């Protein structure tokens, strides 16, 4: 049987990422589930780009602060204790606005773990 007790704060931050990302699934060597914490200062975003996945379902639980998620239809404001879910083929970009009062901390999960993120350009819908 395999069990892991992981404190994300003890993990190294992912290099060259647009915010502080701690890869829980990497540390636990999970094969099917993506799981990480993200800490975004004002002006930082969670993904590397506005994107969508072919198959991955993603969920972002806001631990503290307020998360903003841009989609082609609207911008969602996700408060502490709430969850934002993006289904496959649903473009999104999660971020903390430049004018935010403080940082936002998020627990992000997705399955399947490996599913290429396709860049999305808003003018693609035009």
């Amino acid at each position: 049987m395999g069990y892991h007790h992981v404190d994300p704060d003890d993990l190294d931050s992912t290099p060259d990422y647009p915010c502080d990302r701690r890869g829980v699934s990497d540390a636990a060597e999970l094969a099917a589930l993506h799981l990480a914490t993200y800490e975004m200062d004002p002006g930082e975003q969670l993904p590397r780009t506005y994107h969508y996945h072919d198959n991955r379902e993603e969920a972002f639980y806001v631990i503290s602060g307020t998360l903003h998620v841009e989609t082609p239809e609207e911008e969602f404001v996700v408060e502490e204790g709430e969850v934002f879910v993006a289904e496959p083929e649903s473009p999104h970009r999660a971020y903390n606005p430049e004018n935010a009062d403080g940082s936002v901390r998020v627990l992000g999960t997705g399955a399947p773990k490996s599913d290429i993120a396709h860049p999305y350009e808003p003018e693609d819908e035009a």
Side-chain angles (χ1 to χ4, degrees), residues 9-121:
D9 292 335
D10 291 339
L11 302 176
D12 290 334
S13 183
T14 302
D16 301 320
Y17 209 80
C19 67
D20 184 341
R21 177 194 180 272
R22 309 293 171 115
V24 176
S25 57
D26 302 333
E29 298 180 353
L30 300 178
L33 176 71
H34 166 79
L35 183 65
T37 61
Y38 302 88
E39 181 96 24
M40 290 164 274
D41 288 331
E44 293 183 334
Q45 64 182 21
L46 184 153
R48 288 187 168 109
T49 183
Y50 197 160
H51 72 286
Y52 66 95
H53 297 277
D54 291 329
N55 300 301
R56 180 186 281 178
E57 298 172 328
E58 291 185 304
F60 305 106
Y61 172 75
V62 179
I63 297 169
S64 63
T66 302
L67 179 68
H68 290 247
V69 183
E70 180 182 355
T71 73
E73 291 83 28
E74 67 182 287
E75 179 171 316
F76 293 86
V77 178
V78 189
E79 301 289 341
E80 184 175 315
E82 295 180 340
V83 178
F84 179 83
V85 176
E87 295 181 16
E89 300 182 3
S90 299
H92 59 283
R93 180 179 76 90
Y95 69 100
N96 191 8
E98 290 274 344
N99 62 353
D101 291 335
S103 66
V104 58
R105 187 172 172 103
V106 174
L107 178 67
T109 187
K113 181 179 179 182
S114 295
D115 188 23
I116 294 172
H118 300 288
Y120 174 79
E121 298 294 332

